[in-house]
Amino acid sequence: MVIPVEDAADARLADYVRLRDVDLRRSVESERGLFVAEGEKVIRRAIGAGHPVRSVLTTAKWLDALADVVDGTTVYLVSDEVMEGITGFPVHRGALAAMERTELPSVGALLADAERILVLEDLVDHGNVGAIFRCAAALGVGAIVLSPRCADPLYRRSVKVSMGAVFAIPYARMTDWHGGLAEVRAAGFRLLALTPDQSAVPLDEAPLSGRVALMLGSEGDGLSSHWLHEADQPVCIPMSPRAMDLGVDSLNVVAAAAVACHGLLRDRPGG
């Protein structure tokens, strides 16, 4: 059902308002159990991952491309100007969809079949979380565990940056930061803490037999002292001595995640 809408303040579009207001969106999306997918490819991937569509917001230009997706769905059709008035920014990918969230698995259930996982502690930048999901999915990581304070992978920017990879890799959120790693270890995982400290064992020399969980810390401070203490072994990505002399002593968390995920492929069961 296609419904033309000419007013950005129309109450029927409440799922889409002020998408750049992080605090508002966190409240709205939590209260309504939804998230917003942006662009045709991401919408299709969200649907393929089993998320029901609440509605679609699009312009006439994109309606035909989404015809099979929106069949039987409420579609709000607006002009480019109204679209920007609702969202607060130009929607270059032409379409948004309000999607229903599904229940996350418990950490224990998530770990049942995984061999290589990432554990993220307190990453608060949605773009970084999305980019790390994309790296992990592309390089064969089996699952991701989030600390309680990590950013939401289904926030619009996370989904967008990941190009839908947040729907390609299973994840769960800890309920207990202080004792959460014990559950991962109890599932048979060796905990490796990625640190910029060059005295740590290089990742490509660390033993990777069996089940391995690689821990990544927050954008500014890295892993907390508590999580570093809980790890079985600290590991590092070796930096160029020349770069170190110039004060470049580490990679940003996304680049480090990409390198580290590739390193986790070594000795991986089945490949």
Side-chain angles (χ1 to χ4, degrees):
M1 181 171 60
V2 178
I3 303 173
V5 178
E6 298 179 356
D7 183 359
D10 192 305
R12 292 173 294 183
L13 307 180
D15 283 353
Y16 301 97
V17 298
R18 293 165 60 185
L19 291 179
R20 282 185 168 173
D21 187 329
V22 177
D23 290 336
L24 173 69
R25 293 308 305 182
R26 185 183 294 118
S27 173
V28 167
E29 295 184 10
S30 174
E31 177 183 315
R32 300 179 188 173
L34 65 88
F35 67 95
V36 173
E38 180 180 349
E40 178 192 353
K41 290 181 179 179
V42 171
I43 292 170
R44 290 182 184 278
R45 289 176 181 174
I47 293 171
H51 293 279
V53 183
R54 290 166 61 98
S55 67
V56 173
L57 177 67
T58 190
T59 59
K61 175 182 176 181
W62 291 88
L63 194 56
D64 287 345
L66 290 165
D68 62 312
V69 171
V70 303
D71 185 33
T73 300
T74 298
V75 179
Y76 297 115
L77 189 65
V78 298
S79 66
D80 290 335
E81 292 74 21
V82 171
M83 176 75 87
E84 186 168 348
I86 297 163
T87 62
F89 62 94
V91 181
H92 298 298
R93 289 178 172 83
L96 299 168
M99 316 288 296
E100 299 280 358
R101 291 176 182 256
T102 55
E103 186 175 356
L104 289 179
S106 67
V107 172
L110 179 79
L111 300 180
D113 299 318
E115 292 291 337
R116 297 285 185 270
I117 69 168
L118 297 184
V119 184
L120 308 185
E121 183 188 27
D122 295 357
L123 274 79
V124 297
D125 184 280
H126 291 95
N128 285 346
V129 169
I132 289 171
F133 266 75
R134 187 173 183 180
C135 294
L139 294 170
V141 172
I144 295 178
V145 176
L146 308 175
S147 75
R149 292 190 297 243
C150 265
D152 179 12
L154 295 186
Y155 182 71
R156 181 188 61 86
R157 178 161 173 75
S158 297
V159 177
K160 180 179 179 180
V161 170
S162 80
M163 289 299 292
V166 294
F167 308 119
I169 184 166
Y171 69 96
R173 188 179 292 274
M174 291 177 177
T175 57
D176 175 18
W177 165 81
H178 190 271
L181 292 177
E183 183 174 9
V184 180
R185 178 179 285 109
F189 284 86
R190 177 175 171 79
L191 301 176
L192 301 183
L194 190 63
T195 172
D197 183 354
Q198 296 295 287
S199 67
V201 175
L203 179 59
D204 58 4
E205 296 178 13
L208 296 180
S209 58
R211 310 180 91 186
V212 178
L214 182 70
M215 302 151 55
L216 299 172
S218 66
E219 291 87 353
D221 299 327
L223 289 165
S224 65
S225 58
H226 173 64
W227 274 32
L228 281 170
H229 179 73
E230 287 290 306
D232 293 307
Q233 185 173 45
V235 295
C236 71
I237 297 170
M239 297 288 106
S240 158
R242 182 173 182 276
M244 294 283 289
D245 290 342
L246 295 173
V248 181
D249 62 353
S250 64
L251 298 168
N252 68 44
V253 68
V254 174
V259 173
C261 286
H262 185 269
L264 286 179
L265 296 176
R266 178 169 57 87
D267 297 333
R268 184 179 61 175

